[in-house]
Short mmCIF file of all heavy atoms in Angstrom, two decimals:
data_model
loop_
_atom_site.label_atom_id
_atom_site.label_comp_id
_atom_site.label_asym_id
_atom_site.label_seq_id
_atom_site.Cartn_x
_atom_site.Cartn_y
_atom_site.Cartn_z
N PHE C 1205 -170.87 120.64 -23.20
CA PHE C 1205 -170.09 119.40 -23.18
C PHE C 1205 -168.62 119.71 -22.95
O PHE C 1205 -167.96 119.07 -22.10
CB PHE C 1205 -170.27 118.67 -24.51
CG PHE C 1205 -169.51 117.37 -24.60
CD1 PHE C 1205 -169.98 116.23 -23.98
CD2 PHE C 1205 -168.32 117.30 -25.31
CE1 PHE C 1205 -169.27 115.03 -24.06
CE2 PHE C 1205 -167.61 116.11 -25.40
CZ PHE C 1205 -168.09 114.97 -24.77
N ARG C 1206 -168.08 120.68 -23.67
CA ARG C 1206 -166.67 121.03 -23.55
C ARG C 1206 -166.35 121.56 -22.15
O ARG C 1206 -165.26 121.33 -21.61
CB ARG C 1206 -166.30 122.08 -24.60
CG ARG C 1206 -166.28 121.57 -26.03
CD ARG C 1206 -166.08 122.71 -27.02
NE ARG C 1206 -164.83 123.40 -26.79
CZ ARG C 1206 -163.67 123.10 -27.38
NH1 ARG C 1206 -163.62 122.10 -28.26
NH2 ARG C 1206 -162.57 123.78 -27.12
N LEU C 1207 -167.30 122.27 -21.55
CA LEU C 1207 -167.08 122.92 -20.27
C LEU C 1207 -167.57 122.09 -19.08
O LEU C 1207 -167.72 122.60 -17.97
CB LEU C 1207 -167.77 124.30 -20.26
CG LEU C 1207 -167.20 125.30 -21.27
CD1 LEU C 1207 -168.17 126.46 -21.48
CD2 LEU C 1207 -165.84 125.81 -20.82
N SER C 1208 -167.83 120.81 -19.32
CA SER C 1208 -168.29 119.88 -18.27
C SER C 1208 -169.55 120.38 -17.58
O SER C 1208 -169.73 120.21 -16.37
CB SER C 1208 -167.18 119.67 -17.22
OG SER C 1208 -166.09 119.01 -17.81
N ASN C 1209 -170.44 121.00 -18.35
CA ASN C 1209 -171.72 121.47 -17.84
C ASN C 1209 -172.82 120.58 -18.45
O ASN C 1209 -173.67 121.04 -19.20
CB ASN C 1209 -171.91 122.93 -18.21
CG ASN C 1209 -173.16 123.55 -17.63
OD1 ASN C 1209 -173.66 124.54 -18.13
ND2 ASN C 1209 -173.72 122.97 -16.59
N HIS C 1210 -172.74 119.27 -18.12
CA HIS C 1210 -173.63 118.29 -18.73
C HIS C 1210 -174.13 117.31 -17.67
O HIS C 1210 -173.86 117.50 -16.46
CB HIS C 1210 -172.90 117.53 -19.84
CG HIS C 1210 -171.53 117.05 -19.44
ND1 HIS C 1210 -171.35 116.14 -18.41
CD2 HIS C 1210 -170.29 117.36 -19.89
CE1 HIS C 1210 -170.05 115.90 -18.25
NE2 HIS C 1210 -169.38 116.63 -19.14
N THR C 1211 -174.83 116.27 -18.10
CA THR C 1211 -175.42 115.31 -17.15
C THR C 1211 -174.73 113.97 -17.13
O THR C 1211 -175.25 113.01 -16.55
CB THR C 1211 -176.92 115.10 -17.50
OG1 THR C 1211 -177.01 114.66 -18.86
CG2 THR C 1211 -177.72 116.38 -17.32
N LEU C 1212 -173.55 113.86 -17.75
CA LEU C 1212 -172.80 112.61 -17.68
C LEU C 1212 -172.43 112.34 -16.22
O LEU C 1212 -172.25 113.27 -15.43
CB LEU C 1212 -171.56 112.68 -18.55
CG LEU C 1212 -171.77 112.90 -20.06
CD1 LEU C 1212 -170.43 112.90 -20.78
CD2 LEU C 1212 -172.71 111.85 -20.63
N MET C 1213 -172.24 111.09 -15.88
CA MET C 1213 -172.01 110.71 -14.49
C MET C 1213 -170.75 111.34 -13.90
O MET C 1213 -170.69 111.63 -12.70
CB MET C 1213 -171.94 109.19 -14.37
CG MET C 1213 -173.22 108.48 -14.79
SD MET C 1213 -174.67 109.05 -13.88
CE MET C 1213 -174.42 108.24 -12.31
N ILE C 1214 -169.73 111.56 -14.74
CA ILE C 1214 -168.48 112.14 -14.24
C ILE C 1214 -168.71 113.51 -13.62
O ILE C 1214 -168.02 113.90 -12.68
CB ILE C 1214 -167.43 112.24 -15.39
CG1 ILE C 1214 -166.05 112.59 -14.85
CG2 ILE C 1214 -167.87 113.25 -16.44
CD1 ILE C 1214 -165.43 111.52 -14.00
N GLU C 1215 -169.73 114.22 -14.12
CA GLU C 1215 -170.05 115.53 -13.60
C GLU C 1215 -171.22 115.48 -12.62
O GLU C 1215 -171.17 116.10 -11.55
CB GLU C 1215 -170.39 116.49 -14.75
CG GLU C 1215 -170.83 117.88 -14.32
CD GLU C 1215 -169.76 118.65 -13.54
OE1 GLU C 1215 -168.58 118.27 -13.61
OE2 GLU C 1215 -170.13 119.62 -12.85
N LYS C 1216 -172.24 114.73 -12.96
CA LYS C 1216 -173.45 114.67 -12.12
C LYS C 1216 -173.13 114.17 -10.72
O LYS C 1216 -173.62 114.72 -9.72
CB LYS C 1216 -174.49 113.76 -12.78
CG LYS C 1216 -175.83 113.74 -12.07
CD LYS C 1216 -176.83 112.89 -12.84
CE LYS C 1216 -178.18 112.86 -12.12
NZ LYS C 1216 -179.16 112.05 -12.87
N GLU C 1217 -172.30 113.13 -10.62
CA GLU C 1217 -172.01 112.54 -9.32
C GLU C 1217 -170.84 113.23 -8.61
O GLU C 1217 -170.52 112.89 -7.48
CB GLU C 1217 -171.76 111.04 -9.46
CG GLU C 1217 -173.02 110.29 -9.89
CD GLU C 1217 -172.93 108.80 -9.69
OE1 GLU C 1217 -171.80 108.26 -9.65
OE2 GLU C 1217 -174.00 108.17 -9.56
N ARG C 1218 -170.25 114.20 -9.27
CA ARG C 1218 -169.23 115.03 -8.59
C ARG C 1218 -169.89 115.85 -7.50
O ARG C 1218 -169.29 116.10 -6.45
CB ARG C 1218 -168.55 115.95 -9.60
CG ARG C 1218 -167.38 116.76 -9.04
CD ARG C 1218 -166.72 117.56 -10.13
NE ARG C 1218 -167.58 118.63 -10.59
CZ ARG C 1218 -167.66 119.82 -9.99
NH1 ARG C 1218 -166.93 120.08 -8.92
NH2 ARG C 1218 -168.46 120.74 -10.45
N HIS C 1219 -171.14 116.25 -7.74
CA HIS C 1219 -171.86 117.09 -6.78
C HIS C 1219 -172.35 116.30 -5.58
O HIS C 1219 -172.74 116.89 -4.57
CB HIS C 1219 -173.05 117.77 -7.47
CG HIS C 1219 -172.65 118.65 -8.63
ND1 HIS C 1219 -171.99 119.84 -8.46
CD2 HIS C 1219 -172.80 118.49 -9.96
CE1 HIS C 1219 -171.76 120.39 -9.64
NE2 HIS C 1219 -172.23 119.59 -10.57
N THR C 1220 -172.34 114.98 -5.68
CA THR C 1220 -172.75 114.15 -4.55
C THR C 1220 -171.55 113.47 -3.89
O THR C 1220 -171.71 112.54 -3.11
CB THR C 1220 -173.77 113.08 -5.00
OG1 THR C 1220 -173.21 112.34 -6.08
CG2 THR C 1220 -175.06 113.74 -5.46
N ASN C 1221 -170.36 113.94 -4.25
CA ASN C 1221 -169.10 113.46 -3.66
C ASN C 1221 -168.86 111.96 -3.88
O ASN C 1221 -168.21 111.30 -3.05
CB ASN C 1221 -169.07 113.77 -2.16
CG ASN C 1221 -169.05 115.25 -1.88
OD1 ASN C 1221 -168.37 116.01 -2.57
ND2 ASN C 1221 -169.80 115.68 -0.87
N ILE C 1222 -169.37 111.42 -4.98
CA ILE C 1222 -169.09 110.03 -5.35
C ILE C 1222 -167.66 109.96 -5.89
O ILE C 1222 -167.23 110.83 -6.65
CB ILE C 1222 -170.08 109.53 -6.43
CG1 ILE C 1222 -171.52 109.64 -5.92
CG2 ILE C 1222 -169.74 108.10 -6.84
CD1 ILE C 1222 -171.83 108.76 -4.74
N ASP C 1223 -166.91 108.96 -5.46
CA ASP C 1223 -165.54 108.80 -5.92
C ASP C 1223 -165.50 108.75 -7.45
O ASP C 1223 -166.36 108.14 -8.08
CB ASP C 1223 -164.93 107.52 -5.35
CG ASP C 1223 -163.45 107.39 -5.67
OD1 ASP C 1223 -162.63 107.93 -4.91
OD2 ASP C 1223 -163.14 106.75 -6.70
N ARG C 1224 -164.49 109.38 -8.03
CA ARG C 1224 -164.39 109.48 -9.49
C ARG C 1224 -164.46 108.11 -10.17
O ARG C 1224 -165.10 107.95 -11.21
CB ARG C 1224 -163.08 110.20 -9.86
CG ARG C 1224 -162.93 110.45 -11.36
CD ARG C 1224 -161.62 111.17 -11.67
NE ARG C 1224 -161.46 111.37 -13.10
CZ ARG C 1224 -161.99 112.37 -13.78
NH1 ARG C 1224 -162.70 113.28 -13.16
NH2 ARG C 1224 -161.80 112.47 -15.09
N ASN C 1225 -163.82 107.13 -9.60
CA ASN C 1225 -163.78 105.79 -10.19
C ASN C 1225 -165.13 105.07 -10.12
O ASN C 1225 -165.32 104.04 -10.77
CB ASN C 1225 -162.71 104.94 -9.51
CG ASN C 1225 -161.30 105.45 -9.79
OD1 ASN C 1225 -161.02 105.96 -10.87
ND2 ASN C 1225 -160.42 105.33 -8.81
N ASP C 1226 -166.06 105.61 -9.32
CA ASP C 1226 -167.37 104.98 -9.17
C ASP C 1226 -168.45 105.67 -10.01
O ASP C 1226 -169.62 105.28 -9.95
CB ASP C 1226 -167.80 104.99 -7.70
CG ASP C 1226 -166.91 104.12 -6.84
OD1 ASP C 1226 -166.41 103.11 -7.37
OD2 ASP C 1226 -166.70 104.44 -5.65
N ARG C 1227 -168.07 106.66 -10.78
CA ARG C 1227 -169.05 107.37 -11.61
C ARG C 1227 -169.19 106.67 -12.96
O ARG C 1227 -168.79 107.17 -14.00
CB ARG C 1227 -168.61 108.83 -11.80
CG ARG C 1227 -168.41 109.59 -10.49
CD ARG C 1227 -167.82 110.96 -10.72
NE ARG C 1227 -167.24 111.51 -9.50
CZ ARG C 1227 -166.55 112.64 -9.43
NH1 ARG C 1227 -166.34 113.35 -10.53
NH2 ARG C 1227 -166.05 113.06 -8.28
N VAL C 1228 -169.77 105.50 -12.90
CA VAL C 1228 -169.78 104.61 -14.08
C VAL C 1228 -170.97 104.88 -15.00
O VAL C 1228 -172.00 105.43 -14.59
CB VAL C 1228 -169.79 103.13 -13.65
CG1 VAL C 1228 -168.51 102.79 -12.93
CG2 VAL C 1228 -171.01 102.83 -12.79
N CYS C 1229 -170.81 104.46 -16.23
CA CYS C 1229 -171.83 104.61 -17.28
C CYS C 1229 -173.04 103.73 -16.97
O CYS C 1229 -172.90 102.60 -16.50
CB CYS C 1229 -171.21 104.24 -18.62
SG CYS C 1229 -172.37 104.28 -20.02
N TYR C 1230 -174.23 104.23 -17.25
CA TYR C 1230 -175.47 103.48 -17.05
C TYR C 1230 -175.49 102.20 -17.88
O TYR C 1230 -176.10 101.21 -17.51
CB TYR C 1230 -176.68 104.33 -17.46
CG TYR C 1230 -177.17 105.27 -16.40
CD1 TYR C 1230 -176.92 106.64 -16.50
CD2 TYR C 1230 -177.91 104.82 -15.31
CE1 TYR C 1230 -177.38 107.52 -15.54
CE2 TYR C 1230 -178.39 105.69 -14.34
CZ TYR C 1230 -178.12 107.05 -14.46
OH TYR C 1230 -178.58 107.91 -13.51
N PHE C 1231 -174.83 102.24 -19.02
CA PHE C 1231 -174.95 101.16 -19.99
C PHE C 1231 -173.73 100.26 -20.05
O PHE C 1231 -173.80 99.15 -20.57
CB PHE C 1231 -175.23 101.76 -21.38
CG PHE C 1231 -176.25 102.87 -21.33
CD1 PHE C 1231 -175.85 104.19 -21.44
CD2 PHE C 1231 -177.59 102.59 -21.14
CE1 PHE C 1231 -176.79 105.22 -21.37
CE2 PHE C 1231 -178.53 103.61 -21.08
CZ PHE C 1231 -178.13 104.93 -21.19
N CYS C 1232 -172.59 100.74 -19.55
CA CYS C 1232 -171.35 99.95 -19.61
C CYS C 1232 -170.90 99.46 -18.25
O CYS C 1232 -170.03 98.61 -18.14
CB CYS C 1232 -170.25 100.76 -20.29
SG CYS C 1232 -170.69 101.33 -21.94
N GLU C 1233 -171.39 100.04 -17.19
CA GLU C 1233 -171.20 99.63 -15.80
C GLU C 1233 -169.75 99.60 -15.33
O GLU C 1233 -169.45 100.08 -14.26
CB GLU C 1233 -171.86 98.28 -15.54
CG GLU C 1233 -173.37 98.34 -15.66
CD GLU C 1233 -174.05 97.07 -15.22
OE1 GLU C 1233 -173.34 96.08 -14.93
OE2 GLU C 1233 -175.29 97.06 -15.17
N ASN C 1234 -168.85 99.05 -16.10
CA ASN C 1234 -167.46 98.98 -15.67
C ASN C 1234 -166.61 100.14 -16.19
O ASN C 1234 -165.41 100.20 -15.95
CB ASN C 1234 -166.83 97.65 -16.12
CG ASN C 1234 -167.48 96.46 -15.43
OD1 ASN C 1234 -167.83 96.54 -14.26
ND2 ASN C 1234 -167.64 95.37 -16.17
#
């Protein structure tokens, strides 16, 4: 978690080149 080696969207979608602002939470959406 500390080293950003997790499955949160901020990290998971970094590998698919999704814009940082679009890496939203599954449950909070905004």
Side-chain angles (χ1 to χ4, degrees):
F1205 180 78
R1206 290 173 61 92
L1207 296 164
S1208 295
N1209 185 202
H1210 47 62
T1211 56
L1212 299 182
M1213 298 304 284
I1214 191 67
E1215 177 62 18
K1216 186 176 180 180
E1217 293 195 336
R1218 185 176 69 85
H1219 301 290
T1220 54
N1221 295 320
I1222 301 296
D1223 187 86
R1224 184 179 178 84
N1225 294 325
D1226 294 328
R1227 303 173 198 173
V1228 295
C1229 177
Y1230 276 105
F1231 317 104
C1232 303
E1233 294 188 353
N1234 294 323

